Amino acid sequence: MSSKILVGFLAGAAVGALAGILWAPDKGSTTRKKISGKAGDISDSIRDSFSNLIQGVKDTYSSVQDDVDDLHEKASSKMNTAKMDVKNTMI
């Protein structure tokens, strides 16, 4: 959900910046330079946001994997304890 909000915010900022540049009373060449500069800024911002999103997914995956490994280890330990209890009662 937060990635959708981030994309919406970035798109709104891009549209707002572009509208502001287009309605500014500058020469065409100056306006094109401003648009080019803003496009580069927006591109960098999107790239950074995407990198942060990817890193967040990797961190979450790693954390979940650690939790699964811990759960597996605990389950194996309990299973081995139960096996030993069954063997000891059978003897």
Side-chain angles (χ1 to χ4, degrees), residues 1-12 53:
M1 183 66 169
S2 62
S3 63
K4 290 181 182 180
I5 293 170
L6 179 62
V7 169
F9 176 77
L10 291 174
L53 176 66

Side-chain angles (χ1 to χ4, degrees), residues 7-74:
V7 169
F9 176 77
L10 291 174
V15 169
L18 183 60
I21 291 170
L22 289 175
W23 276 296
D26 285 332
K27 292 185 343 180
S29 60
T30 305
T31 300
R32 285 189 295 277
K33 285 180 186 176
K34 285 182 180 180
I35 290 172
S36 176
K38 288 292 180 184
D41 292 346
I42 291 168
S43 174
D44 291 344
S45 177
I46 290 171
R47 188 174 318 132
D48 291 344
S49 297
F50 188 70
S51 293
N52 290 338
L53 176 66
I54 294 298
Q55 187 60 46
V57 168
K58 286 179 180 178
D59 291 346
T60 301
Y61 176 80
S62 178
S63 176
V64 168
Q65 185 64 43
D66 290 344
D67 291 346
V68 167
D69 290 344
D70 289 345
L71 184 61
H72 179 262
E73 187 175 315
K74 287 178 184 177

